[in-house]
Amino acid sequence: MAMTPRERFLAALDGQPVDRVPVANPTSIITRGLQEKAGVFFPEANYEAEPMAELALAGHTICGYDAVSPAFGAGTHESAALGVPTRWGDRDSLPAQEKAIWSHPDEIEIPDDFLDRPSVKSVIDAIRLLKDEVGDRVAVIGKVFGPWSLSYHTIGLQKFLIQTMKDPGFVHAALERLKPIPKMYAQAQIEAGADALTYACHITADLIRPSAVPDYVLPIHQEMAAEIDCPLILHCCGRTIDRIEHFNKNGMAAFHFESANDAKEMRDQADMVLIGNINNTNTLVAGEREDVRREVHYAIEAGVDMIAPECAVPVTAKLENVIAVRDSVDEYYDALH
Ligand SMILES: [Zn+2]
């Protein structure tokens, strides 16, 4: 018996057998083409619940993915609610933070009405709409940014990373003060109907040494996994194979990884469920259907548990390539029969 998309997603996330590996989207798959096809556009779909839910739904109805996910930006909802000036994107660009607002952990302040601030509330409401619409059939993935990534957005990436060398106390204090945000935002998304949450922590090899993981974020990851009452999917961009031994200890259900890591090598070293790792720039933006197929089949054979674009798909990617991720999984299984 074929599984429903939601059953397939939840089984894979739990390491259980599936009829075919699910196709998931822990980060955005919204392209200009998908906006046009759905007739719903950025920027409204980034701050209003109804268009946001409608565009997220297109990830299933048009692209055929087993999950829908409504928060397309990279932490912009949280940072906007904290007061960070935000560009909400347009047909050709994802939302982004404009500038940092704090220079010291002492300045960090979480507003009492954080969950009612419009940007955050729009995501919670969109999850509720999606749950009502498809929640018994299709998985709903929410998204939170951990305190490490939120520090980039509120204190500034460079300033924050310099403190890891100069003043570890600064870093620990910032993480401590920002930590309640993902916890309360996660809880609200779970209550609205999220089946799983992407937990973003950009502690990547391009930026920082592997030992920063146990020094700064591993205890926080473990705390999040223990306290947040739904499966967490860690997302970390870039090359991460040199720190996977630390991620293995975080207690989270899954790791969403990039194509900078070979899928077979990652499978050999990672203990958790793996989601990924179809390349964005060369494959989904510039490649052809055949390139997508080759990478998808390689990932399945490597033992990647769910197939997904490696990170937020650039808005300029070809819609047919985003759909080809789905089709390539189906073709792989159809060829077995
Ligand atoms: Zn990423």
Side-chain angles (χ1 to χ4, degrees), residues 137-200:
R137 256 185 331 107
V138 180
V140 179
I141 307 178
K143 191 200 276 178
V144 299
F145 270 60
W148 182 271
S149 294
L150 290 176
S151 295
Y152 293 172
H153 301 147
T154 54
I155 295 171
L157 185 136
Q158 262 190 335
K159 184 172 171 73
F160 182 71
L161 289 178
I162 287 169
Q163 298 303 326
T164 62
M165 317 290 273
K166 273 174 58 185
D167 185 1
F170 178 108
V171 175
H172 286 294
L175 298 176
E176 267 319 296
R177 294 191 71 143
L178 288 165
K179 216 168 58 174
I181 294 175
K183 288 187 190 175
M184 69 171 142
Y185 193 23
Q187 188 55 36
Q189 294 184 46
I190 294 165
E191 283 166 14
D195 291 300
L197 293 170
T198 300
Y199 178 95

Side-chain angles (χ1 to χ4, degrees), residues 103-118:
S103 54
H104 193 276
D106 290 350
E107 296 168 27
I108 295 173
E109 209 178 317
I110 303 171
D112 291 339
D113 64 345
F114 179 81
L115 293 173
D116 291 319
R117 298 236 161 162

Side-chain angles (χ1 to χ4, degrees), residues 319-336:
L319 173 59
E320 57 265 36
N321 283 348
V322 176
I323 296 172
V325 174
R326 164 82 266 169
D327 292 345
S328 301
V329 170
D330 292 338
E331 284 160 18
Y332 180 87
Y333 285 92
D334 292 345
L336 298 178

Side-chain angles (χ1 to χ4, degrees), residues 123-314:
V123 174
I124 298 167
D125 289 345
I127 288 174
R128 197 171 291 115
L129 291 169
L130 288 162
K131 183 71 188 171
D132 286 350
E133 179 84 19
V134 293
D136 56 344
R137 256 185 331 107
V138 180
V140 179
I141 307 178
K143 191 200 276 178
V144 299
F145 270 60
W148 182 271
S149 294
L150 290 176
S151 295
Y152 293 172
H153 301 147
T154 54
I155 295 171
L157 185 136
Q158 262 190 335
K159 184 172 171 73
F160 182 71
L161 289 178
I162 287 169
Q163 298 303 326
T164 62
M165 317 290 273
K166 273 174 58 185
D167 185 1
F170 178 108
V171 175
H172 286 294
L175 298 176
E176 267 319 296
R177 294 191 71 143
L178 288 165
K179 216 168 58 174
I181 294 175
K183 288 187 190 175
M184 69 171 142
Y185 193 23
Q187 188 55 36
Q189 294 184 46
I190 294 165
E191 283 166 14
D195 291 300
L197 293 170
T198 300
Y199 178 95
C201 179
H202 294 92
I203 192 153
T204 175
D206 318 337
L207 301 173
I208 190 148
R209 65 193 192 280
S211 62
V213 177
D215 285 353
Y216 293 115
V217 299
L218 182 58
I220 295 175
H221 288 180
Q222 290 166 331
E223 190 179 321
M224 296 290 169
E227 287 183 27
I228 297 174
D229 196 17
C230 88
L232 295 181
I233 300 165
L234 176 68
H235 173 80
C236 182
C237 301
R239 198 173 145 73
T240 43
I241 197 93
D242 66 350
R243 53 206 65 205
I244 189 67
E245 58 172 314
H246 303 302
F247 291 166
N248 279 339
K249 299 178 193 144
N250 67 16
M252 295 187 187
F255 179 42
H256 180 219
F257 71 110
E258 285 207 349
S259 62
N261 311 276
D262 176 70
K264 287 185 178 146
E265 210 182 320
M266 187 58 88
R267 181 68 288 168
D268 279 347
Q269 296 192 38
D271 293 340
M272 66 276 264
V273 163
L274 286 177
I275 307 180
N277 67 338
I278 308 309
N279 177 278
N280 277 334
T281 316
N282 298 325
T283 305
L284 297 180
V285 175
E288 302 299 327
R289 190 183 174 86
E290 191 45 45
D291 303 309
V292 178
R293 190 206 319 252
R294 192 177 340 102
E295 260 187 67
V296 167
H297 291 189
Y298 182 84
I300 295 173
E301 287 183 349
V304 174
D305 303 280
M306 293 200 218
I307 304 302
E310 59 182 348
C311 186
V313 171

